[in-house]
Amino acid sequence: MPHFRSPMAISRVLLVAFCILAGAVPFLTADVVVTLDGRELSGRIVEETAAAVRIQTPAGGVLQIPRDRIREVRREEISYSEAEGDQFFDRGEHYRALRSYEKARDESGVSAQIEEKIRRVRDEISRRENSLYQALFTQAQALSTEGKHKAAREPLCRIVEAAGPESLSACRARRAIAFEYFLESLDLRDLVRYSDAIQTLEKAVETDDSVPMIHYHLARLYRDYSGDVQKAVGQYERAIAVGKQVREMEEADREQFADLEPSEIRFRAADLSEMRYELAELFYRAGRKEEAAGQFQSLLDDGAEGLPTYRV
């Protein structure tokens, strides 16, 4: 017997398809049941009684929640991508859920609800993967504390290989490997082995290109010890670009690596001003006066926020 969709279901599919083709963000109306422990269950309420609420989830299952476990019931609009993420999450497809939630954030803008869902799915992925890789992370941290940075990279490389390049554990491990290269470069710099320090920081950048303070330290080494102005400028510009991205990054994204981050590499808003000022000075010393003037002017245009505090 052929299966027929209801006219309402067909209209919803056509509406979503039209919105996608038109470049608009499609929205769906969902019922949300909030439980006393803070969980939010999205879907369509199929039955309400004095004793319980039955809600059909995007995955197709029907959950029955006793009234005494419900904090509130509300209706709200959610984007198609967010609804898709809810469906993947209910099915246990956590990486697909994460990609859908991040797409929803890009399409619709930041909201507390989306950030909470991103945090929730990342926590679930971390919980599952920690049981597999936490021993290796712990081993790496212990070796790093002892100053054995090369040895600390070995268990981290094993995580990247085992977890797959796109997994959260692999992303965390690559960031930790970059941190270990950074810490090793500080030791080499203190031993006046500047060439080795530069090569080690270059490996850090190759491993993870998204840490502003690594680019900043490499720019300073190029500037002060190799005399390569062009490379120094390139690293300053990259440090500034990545620093702006980090400053605008949402809390859920920043939290991923907070526990791995050495204090020497923690990025602060004031560091961005210092990077911009030093780049302007480097342009001036290299005789690139117009570029220096433009960089200094942009700092002045930003007022007190643009200038390093000790230079004001």
Side-chain angles (χ1 to χ4, degrees), residues 84-156:
E84 184 181 58
D86 290 342
Q87 182 174 351
F88 287 138
F89 188 84
D90 287 344
R91 294 206 304 246
E93 299 179 49
H94 296 114
Y95 277 107
R96 297 182 74 180
L98 179 60
R99 287 192 289 272
S100 293
Y101 289 144
E102 289 174 338
K103 182 180 178 182
R105 183 175 64 186
D106 293 341
E107 292 172 341
S108 309
V110 179
S111 72
Q113 177 174 299
I114 286 290
E115 288 303 302
E116 180 56 35
K117 289 184 177 182
I118 290 174
R119 186 179 291 106
R120 178 187 64 177
V121 73
R122 282 180 176 159
D123 286 346
E124 183 62 24
I125 291 171
S126 297
R127 186 183 67 78
R128 291 169 179 264
E129 293 187 353
N130 278 350
S131 62
L132 299 173
Y133 307 120
Q134 189 54 49
L136 291 173
F137 275 116
T138 301
Q139 180 186 357
Q141 288 174 336
L143 290 166
S144 179
T145 301
E146 296 173 9
K148 300 176 181 178
H149 304 298
K150 182 178 180 180
R153 292 194 292 270
E154 293 176 7
L156 296 169

Side-chain angles (χ1 to χ4, degrees), residues 9-294:
I10 293 172
S11 298
R12 175 173 286 188
V13 171
L14 292 175
L15 173 62
V16 170
F18 174 78
C19 289
I20 292 172
L21 290 172
V25 179
F27 284 86
L28 308 174
T29 301
D31 298 314
V32 180
V33 176
V34 183
T35 60
L36 292 178
D37 60 4
R39 290 192 306 146
E40 295 191 1
L41 306 171
S42 299
R44 182 173 62 86
I45 292 176
V46 293
E47 183 182 7
E48 288 190 75
T49 68
V53 172
R54 299 180 74 232
I55 184 168
Q56 183 176 25
T57 68
V62 176
L63 301 175
Q64 180 167 303
I65 304 100
R67 283 283 185 185
D68 60 7
R69 291 176 52 194
I70 295 175
R71 179 182 299 166
E72 67 170 314
V73 176
R74 64 175 186 265
R75 292 181 63 81
E76 60 185 30
E77 283 191 336
I78 62 174
S79 71
Y80 178 76
S81 296
E82 184 178 349
E84 184 181 58
D86 290 342
Q87 182 174 351
F88 287 138
F89 188 84
D90 287 344
R91 294 206 304 246
E93 299 179 49
H94 296 114
Y95 277 107
R96 297 182 74 180
L98 179 60
R99 287 192 289 272
S100 293
Y101 289 144
E102 289 174 338
K103 182 180 178 182
R105 183 175 64 186
D106 293 341
E107 292 172 341
S108 309
V110 179
S111 72
Q113 177 174 299
I114 286 290
E115 288 303 302
E116 180 56 35
K117 289 184 177 182
I118 290 174
R119 186 179 291 106
R120 178 187 64 177
V121 73
R122 282 180 176 159
D123 286 346
E124 183 62 24
I125 291 171
S126 297
R127 186 183 67 78
R128 291 169 179 264
E129 293 187 353
N130 278 350
S131 62
L132 299 173
Y133 307 120
Q134 189 54 49
L136 291 173
F137 275 116
T138 301
Q139 180 186 357
Q141 288 174 336
L143 290 166
S144 179
T145 301
E146 296 173 9
K148 300 176 181 178
H149 304 298
K150 182 178 180 180
R153 292 194 292 270
E154 293 176 7
L156 296 169
C157 289
R158 287 164 58 191
I159 294 172
V160 174
E161 183 177 350
E166 301 304 318
S167 69
L168 289 186
S169 290
C171 291
R172 281 171 52 81
R174 281 195 296 271
R175 179 65 60 91
I177 291 169
F179 289 161
E180 292 304 321
Y181 277 126
F182 169 78
L183 293 171
E184 184 179 353
S185 77
L186 296 185
D187 294 342
L188 291 167
R189 183 199 62 188
D190 293 343
L191 293 170
V192 200
R193 294 170 55 184
Y194 300 123
S195 178
D196 290 337
I198 288 173
Q199 290 178 15
T200 302
L201 272 185
E202 287 172 340
K203 291 177 182 177
V205 168
E206 289 173 9
T207 303
D208 190 327
D209 188 49
S210 58
V211 185
M213 297 304 287
I214 290 179
H215 291 285
Y216 182 36
H217 281 264
L218 184 54
R220 285 180 150 194
L221 286 174
Y222 282 142
R223 179 195 67 186
D224 297 337
Y225 301 113
S226 78
D228 193 325
V229 172
Q230 193 57 40
K231 284 187 175 181
V233 167
Q235 289 302 312
Y236 271 120
E237 290 177 336
R238 182 60 183 159
I240 292 166
V242 176
K244 289 178 179 178
Q245 292 172 4
V246 171
R247 186 178 62 180
E248 296 168 2
M249 191 177 289
E250 300 308 321
E251 185 178 353
D253 295 327
R254 291 196 301 269
E255 286 178 350
Q256 293 182 77
F257 308 108
D259 61 318
L260 302 173
E261 193 173 61
S263 59
E264 299 93 334
I265 207 170
R266 192 160 295 132
F267 178 74
R268 302 161 302 163
D271 293 320
L272 187 59
S273 299
E274 187 63 31
M275 292 171 187
R276 295 169 63 196
Y277 194 95
E278 289 185 15
L279 176 59
E281 286 188 320
L282 182 60
F283 281 141
Y284 184 82
R285 282 161 34 190
R288 297 163 63 169
K289 303 296 177 62
E290 289 187 10
E291 292 167 287

